[in-house]
Amino acid sequence: MIDKPRDYCGIFGIQNHPDAALLSYYGLHSLQHRGQESAGIITSHYDDEKSRWVMPAHRDFGLVLNIFDDPKIFENELKGRAAIGHNRYSTTGAAKNPANIQPFRVHYHEGNIAIGHNGNLANAKQLRDRFREEGVLFQSTSDTELILHLISHSQKDTQIEQVLDALEQIEGAYSLVMLTDDKLIAVRDPNGFRPLALGKVDGSYCVSSETCAFDIIDAEYVRDIKPGEVLVLDQDAGSDAEPVSYQLEPEHGTGTSQCIFEYVYFSRPDSKIFGENVDKVRRNLGKYLAKEHPVNEIIQKDTGDTKPIVISVPDSSNTAALGYVHENQKFGNECKYEIGLIRNHYVGRTFISPGQKSREQKVRTKFNTVKGVIEGRSVIIVDDSIVRGTTSRYLVNMIRQANPAEVHFLVSSPPIISPCYYGMDFPTPKELMANRFDRDIDAMAKEIGVDSLRYLSADGLVNSVKEANLSGDDYCTACFTENYPVPVNFGVEKEENEIV
């Protein structure tokens, strides 16, 4: 509904806790922003009556609160002291296929194994073609299933060795939670594209795409899963035992390539990812935006004693807008942060709008202007990104109807010029506004109806993130620079290589 890239998934896992399924439910609820089409939880326990390990699952389309609205699911169905969960957003064509709802589970000669995946395998087409030649049948269109086939076909002796063998054959972006009969395994690809953190609650370890899931269950953040790390948590090892860690080496020797867009837009501001608070980084983005585009160089009209106002497009750009205002005020550039747009949080992705102007009407159901704040003022809108530009145009039109003196648009990231192939849903290159107008900023400003349009530079983006996060790790900026750190088979069809 909103003209933004979408992240494909959120994952959560917990080991050796009596309320494993319930805590996974709370964790997935906190990660709902990472995927809203389907969700699932799988647990593991030994069934005395059947004399074997079992992995019950509960998965369905919809939001977490709706899928798990019956307490009996946790009392009678999802038994066990270990669980993994998954929120999913998918490609359009594969979204309605129930076989694609994760986590996946299989039973093979070494026992049960379940998996939840956030990312995209760059060599999925080659792997799928190889398995098809061997006569392997696929149950889904997701590249996650390929990992399970690699594990089950491995000739290694133990299940952990089989998992490591499989991971050495995949490339691209992947943060994984895997559940065996008695172990929880957390994996992050050697480039570290997607975030994954380790926490602890009541003496039990848990893992999550973002630390906001730890807060809701009162878990302590321990550390990030390291790029290339395979962390094994053994149920029989006891709560005092340290996890066993293995290390994968990067296939292409590119080092870390953490997704910088996680800071710009995807992750919640109350989360810590890649070792730093998202809120802190976003305020830094606003700070650098102010250095490059101060208010006194933007405003064109004299509105008397009325200060220019800065408004954000809620919610992801709120903190960047605050950082922008604070930095301007610090150097004497007069401006004021105001709430000029109100977001309706109760509009679902499937909202059916009346009439024929569907997209514009959906924007109006999502946002509304505070006319008394905007009228007669010089307005600076701060947003985190522009993709196609359609939503930006509708928002500016709504603000124009409130009779401002002038309207300017600031973006706390560079122009998006290329798609992501590492676990995000982006439009094709020709659909991106920056490409449609050959990166002509004046033409793009005219397209969305503003007096001026300004972006944070690529150097400003990287410097603002690195200033806030002193870890020394590098970041993937491919969507802004076309510099892809891991080769991708660009000819693959989404339906054949579904990103999760």
Side-chain angles (χ1 to χ4, degrees):
M1 187 172 88
I2 299 302
D3 184 22
K4 297 286 184 184
R6 291 190 173 96
D7 199 354
Y8 278 101
C9 294
I11 55 177
F12 184 90
I14 187 165
Q15 175 70 302
N16 204 18
H17 196 285
D19 297 317
L22 186 60
L23 295 186
S24 296
Y25 160 75
Y26 287 128
L28 290 183
H29 176 63
S30 293
L31 299 173
Q32 187 71 85
H33 60 288
R34 298 186 73 90
Q36 300 90 41
E37 288 185 351
S38 64
I41 295 174
I42 288 179
T43 60
S44 176
H45 71 277
Y46 189 82
D47 190 315
D48 291 324
E49 293 183 1
K50 297 179 180 179
S51 298
R52 60 181 174 87
W53 287 89
V54 295
M55 281 190 175
H58 190 88
R59 298 168 294 201
D60 206 347
F61 294 108
L63 301 179
V64 173
L65 291 177
N66 297 327
I67 296 170
F68 299 96
D69 60 349
D70 186 351
K72 293 180 180 178
I73 295 171
F74 304 100
E75 296 168 3
N76 303 326
E77 185 178 346
L78 294 176
K79 298 178 181 179
R81 297 179 62 88
I84 61 172
H86 187 274
N87 286 336
R88 177 172 174 268
Y89 169 74
S90 70
T91 56
T92 303
K96 296 180 180 179
N97 184 355
N100 286 330
I101 302 177
Q102 293 190 35
F104 293 160
R105 61 178 175 180
V106 294
H107 178 79
Y108 74 117
H109 54 85
E110 290 295 331
N112 299 296
I113 190 165
I115 186 171
H117 174 202
N118 174 211
N120 180 36
L121 302 188
N123 63 335
K125 186 178 187 299
Q126 296 94 317
L127 292 172
R128 189 178 291 270
D129 289 345
R130 188 186 92 190
F131 280 127
R132 280 175 172 163
E133 290 177 2
E134 296 173 0
V136 173
L137 300 177
F138 291 93
Q139 303 299 314
S140 72
T141 59
S142 171
D143 57 0
T144 310
E145 186 180 353
L146 295 167
I147 303 174
L148 292 177
H149 285 301
L150 287 170
I151 294 171
S152 63
H153 283 70
S154 174
Q155 299 301 306
K156 299 295 183 180
D157 294 332
T158 69
Q159 197 169 39
I160 295 300
E161 289 175 330
Q162 292 162 4
V163 169
L164 294 172
D165 183 35
L167 295 174
E168 289 171 355
Q169 299 178 64
I170 62 177
E171 300 175 11
Y174 54 91
S175 283
L176 309 172
V177 285
M178 287 187 272
L179 193 62
T180 69
D181 291 332
D182 57 356
K183 293 178 179 63
L184 174 68
I185 305 171
V187 185
R188 203 165 156 222
D189 70 77
N191 289 83
F193 283 107
R194 298 282 139 230
L196 191 62
L198 178 69
K200 205 168 189 180
V201 55
D202 301 328
S204 301
Y205 283 105
C206 52
V207 292
S208 174
S209 293
E210 295 181 36
T211 61
C212 60
F214 296 160
D215 298 333
I216 197 172
I217 62 173
D218 201 24
E220 171 194 4
Y221 166 75
V222 176
R223 64 175 178 85
D224 278 8
I225 305 298
K226 300 173 186 176
E229 185 175 19
V230 181
L231 200 66
V232 180
L233 306 167
D234 195 326
Q235 182 169 305
D236 298 328
S239 59
D240 295 331
E242 289 296 315
V244 178
S245 179
Y246 303 87
Q247 186 65 35
L248 303 171
E249 295 302 322
E251 182 72 19
H252 300 279
T254 54
T256 55
S257 308
Q258 299 175 146
C259 174
I260 207 164
F261 213 84
E262 289 278 357
Y263 281 133
V264 172
Y265 172 68
F266 283 125
S267 296
R268 274 178 39 165
D270 53 331
S271 285
K272 175 182 282 191
I273 63 163
F274 307 143
E276 189 52 80
N277 294 319
V278 175
D279 176 82
K280 178 180 177 180
V281 175
R282 287 188 184 159
R283 288 176 188 268
N284 229 34
L285 294 174
K287 170 184 168 182
Y288 270 77
L289 194 61
K291 289 181 177 180
E292 294 183 358
H293 307 292
V295 166
N296 59 343
E297 293 183 6
I298 295 175
I299 299 304
Q300 301 169 1
K301 296 183 178 180
D302 184 1
T303 55
D305 295 332
T306 305
K307 294 180 181 179
I309 63 170
V310 177
I311 66 174
S312 61
V313 179
D315 292 317
S316 56
S317 59
N318 291 351
T319 46
L322 287 170
Y324 178 79
V325 170
H326 177 77
E327 189 69 11
N328 271 285
Q329 292 174 343
K330 180 179 174 181
F331 291 99
N333 299 322
E334 290 194 342
C335 62
K336 183 181 180 182
Y337 179 77
E338 288 281 6
I339 299 175
L341 284 170
I342 302 297
R343 180 184 174 190
N344 181 358
H345 291 81
Y346 301 98
V347 179
R349 287 168 49 80
T350 57
F351 181 86
I352 301 173
S353 58
Q356 298 300 314
K357 297 189 295 182
S358 176
R359 184 179 293 274
E360 183 175 2
Q361 188 64 40
K362 286 178 178 178
V363 173
R364 290 182 177 276
T365 60
K366 190 80 171 182
F367 298 104
N368 197 23
T369 56
V370 184
K371 294 183 174 67
V373 169
I374 296 171
E375 188 173 8
R377 311 287 287 274
S378 293
V379 177
I380 297 175
I381 306 168
V382 174
D383 202 0
D384 49 74
S385 58
I386 298 178
V387 184
R388 294 182 178 90
T390 49
T391 297
S392 301
R393 186 171 71 248
Y394 294 137
L395 282 174
V396 170
N397 183 53
M398 289 170 59
I399 290 170
R400 290 282 192 193
Q401 292 174 9
N403 298 316
E406 56 185 325
V407 181
H408 304 273
F409 208 106
L410 295 182
V411 185
S412 61
S413 62
I416 297 174
I417 60 174
S418 51
C420 174
Y421 296 91
Y422 306 126
M424 296 183 188
D425 182 23
F426 270 67
T428 60
K430 65 181 180 181
E431 293 178 286
L432 299 170
M433 186 176 77
N435 293 338
R436 294 203 324 270
F437 292 91
D438 295 323
R439 305 173 200 179
D440 184 330
I441 301 298
D442 291 336
M444 292 158 64
K446 184 178 180 180
E447 167 69 8
I448 65 173
V450 292
D451 295 289
S452 72
L453 170 66
R454 290 170 169 84
Y455 286 89
L456 182 64
S457 67
D459 286 342
L461 172 65
V462 173
N463 290 337
S464 63
V465 171
K466 288 195 171 184
E467 181 182 299
N469 187 350
L470 301 177
S471 65
D473 291 328
D474 288 325
Y475 295 88
C476 176
T477 60
C479 54
F480 306 118
T481 63
E482 295 182 295
N483 296 326
Y484 292 97
V486 173
V488 177
N489 187 329
F490 294 99
V492 67
E493 294 294 332
K494 278 189 176 182
E495 192 72 15
E496 287 294 308
N497 177 24
E498 189 198 359
I499 309 170
V500 292

